[in-house]
């Protein structure tokens, strides 16, 4: 490899060029242009989705799934856009694409991400949040940095996962040693380049360190805990076989009771037990 991935400047530059990689299909390249323009209207996004039958099908299947809580209620793209809003739809479009890539680059990562989205929504409902869709999308996209690493540095990242297993450490610790940064930073760089909403960017960037979140501390704490609960249940695969400790900041901020945790765990188990292929 001509570049040194431990050089932060080179690493960030290559990650920010991810939409130009030949491994990403033409649909994804067009998609990044659509959602990357903050002036893109709801009508333009609707037209973009409707022009691709496969994308339309996946969007409708997702919004009618347990992730968004509208089972069987949304029958058109226009209806979906109206309910979710522009920011959520922009992020959702990337979520659909990233989930497809997840299944290709790391077996089990898609399931882990879906479980996290469902758990995050469940926690958000318990806490009485209104932006449930935004939190659900963050659950889907929180590990987008791992997808980026695997697309751009496949051999290096396979080594990272092997080292995590051999040394019995979290994959983000092995990432830090290999790349000088973690998948959370990689996800933040891409989110900023694609003009993701500030709250969503926060949730992606700080899902392992919720105490650093500024624009969405509560939502970031939710995604943080959702990630850990899904890992604890062994639903999917996130790159290692270990369960991180819950951040004291998140624990205090969320202040969940035992019955709340049981309810969240039940929501994850229900998705796993259903065996439903949510997006294909």
């Amino acid at each position: 490899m001509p570049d040194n991935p431990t050089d932060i400047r080179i690493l960030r530059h290559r990650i920010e060029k991810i939409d130009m990689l030949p491994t990403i299909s033409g649909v994804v390249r067009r998609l990044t242009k659509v959602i990357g323009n903050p002036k893109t209207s709801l009508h333009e996004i609707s037209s973009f989705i409707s022009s691709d039958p496969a994308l339309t099908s996946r969007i409708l299947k997702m919004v009618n799934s347990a992730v968004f809580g509208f089972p069987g209620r949304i029958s058109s793209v226009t209806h979906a856009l109206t309910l979710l809003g522009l920011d959520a739809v922009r992020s959702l479009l990337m979520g659909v694409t990233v989930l497809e890539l997840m299944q290709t680059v790391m077996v089990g990562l898609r399931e882990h991400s879906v479980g996290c989205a469902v758990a995050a929504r469940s926690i958000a409902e318990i806490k009485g949040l209104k932006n449930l869709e935004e939190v659900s999308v963050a659950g889907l996209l929180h590990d987008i940095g791992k997808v980026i690493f695997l697309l751009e540095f496949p051999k290096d990242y396979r080594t990272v996962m092997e080292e995590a297993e051999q040394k019995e450490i979290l994959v983000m610790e092995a990432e830090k040693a290999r790349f000088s940064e973690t998948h959370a930073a990689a996800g933040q760089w891409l989110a900023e380049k694609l003009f993701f909403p500030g709250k969503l960017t926060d949730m992606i960037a700080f899902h392992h360190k919720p105490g650093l979140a500024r624009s969405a501390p509560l939502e970031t704490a939710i995604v943080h805990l959702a990630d850990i609960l899904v890992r604890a249940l062994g639903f999917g695969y996130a790159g290692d076989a270990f369960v991180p400790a819950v951040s004291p900041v998140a624990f205090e901020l969320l202040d969940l009771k035992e019955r709340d945790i049981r309810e969240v765990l039940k929501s994850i188990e229900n998705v796993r037990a259903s065996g439903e292929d949510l997006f294909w």
Side-chain angles (χ1 to χ4, degrees):
M1 189 167 54
D3 295 331
N4 178 6
T6 63
D7 185 314
I8 297 297
R9 292 170 300 176
I10 293 174
L11 181 66
R12 181 164 188 167
H13 176 68
R14 289 183 65 168
I15 285 172
E16 289 179 338
K17 288 173 58 180
I18 193 73
D19 59 309
M20 301 175 189
L21 289 176
T23 46
I24 299 183
S25 69
V27 138
V28 180
R29 286 196 294 271
R30 296 198 307 273
L31 172 60
T32 58
K33 290 180 181 179
V34 170
I35 66 175
N37 182 355
K39 296 182 179 179
T40 301
S41 69
L42 204 61
H43 175 72
E44 288 170 319
I45 291 179
S46 178
S47 297
F48 175 84
I49 297 173
S50 300
S51 68
D52 188 320
L55 187 58
T56 297
S57 175
R58 290 199 295 271
I59 287 288
L60 291 179
K61 198 165 188 180
M62 181 183 282
V63 296
N64 281 296
S65 75
V67 173
F68 287 95
F70 300 115
R73 290 166 51 192
I74 300 177
S75 59
S76 71
V77 171
T78 301
H79 189 194
L81 297 180
T82 301
L83 281 174
L84 298 180
L86 186 56
D87 283 343
V89 170
R90 279 190 181 132
S91 306
L92 175 58
L93 283 169
M94 181 56 73
V96 169
T97 302
V98 170
L99 284 173
E100 185 173 359
L101 290 171
M102 281 179 180
Q103 195 69 356
T104 303
V105 300
M106 185 194 296
V107 175
L109 185 58
R110 183 186 69 169
E111 288 75 15
H112 168 76
S113 300
V114 169
C116 189
V118 171
R121 181 183 180 88
S122 179
I123 298 170
E125 286 180 321
I126 291 169
K127 297 304 296 181
L129 269 63
K130 295 181 180 179
N131 59 332
L132 300 181
E133 290 74 31
E134 187 175 42
V135 174
S136 296
V137 170
L140 287 175
L141 294 177
H142 75 287
D143 275 343
I144 190 174
K146 292 175 183 174
V147 177
I148 296 168
F149 275 144
L150 279 161
L151 285 173
E152 183 69 340
F153 308 105
K155 291 182 180 179
D156 288 274
Y157 203 77
R158 296 296 175 191
T159 300
V160 162
M161 290 193 291
E162 289 170 5
E163 289 178 351
E165 182 178 355
Q166 292 167 2
K167 297 178 181 179
E168 297 186 347
I169 59 176
L170 293 168
V171 72
M172 61 181 176
E173 296 176 64
E175 290 170 351
K176 189 76 172 177
R178 188 76 173 181
F179 296 108
S180 299
E181 267 301 352
T182 70
H183 64 275
Q188 178 183 8
W189 296 337
L190 187 64
E192 289 172 345
K193 185 202 171 187
L194 296 177
F195 300 102
F196 278 14
K199 285 187 175 182
L200 179 56
T201 300
D202 246 24
M203 287 183 266
I204 292 171
F206 304 117
H207 67 273
H208 287 301
K209 297 179 179 180
L212 298 180
R214 290 295 173 262
S215 61
L218 180 59
E219 292 88 343
T220 304
I222 287 173
V223 175
H224 168 77
L225 180 59
D227 176 42
I228 291 173
L229 292 178
V230 172
R231 282 170 166 266
L233 284 180
F235 185 26
Y237 181 64
D240 59 58
F242 306 104
V243 181
V246 177
S247 160
V249 173
F251 186 83
E252 183 176 350
L253 193 58
L254 293 174
D255 190 28
L256 295 177
K257 305 296 186 287
E258 185 178 339
R259 66 176 180 275
D260 297 328
I261 298 296
R262 286 200 299 268
E263 184 177 334
V264 177
L265 293 175
K266 184 179 178 181
S267 72
I268 303 168
E269 289 286 12
N270 286 342
V271 171
R272 175 159 59 181
S274 72
E276 180 187 7
D277 186 355
L278 294 177
F279 310 116
W280 282 271

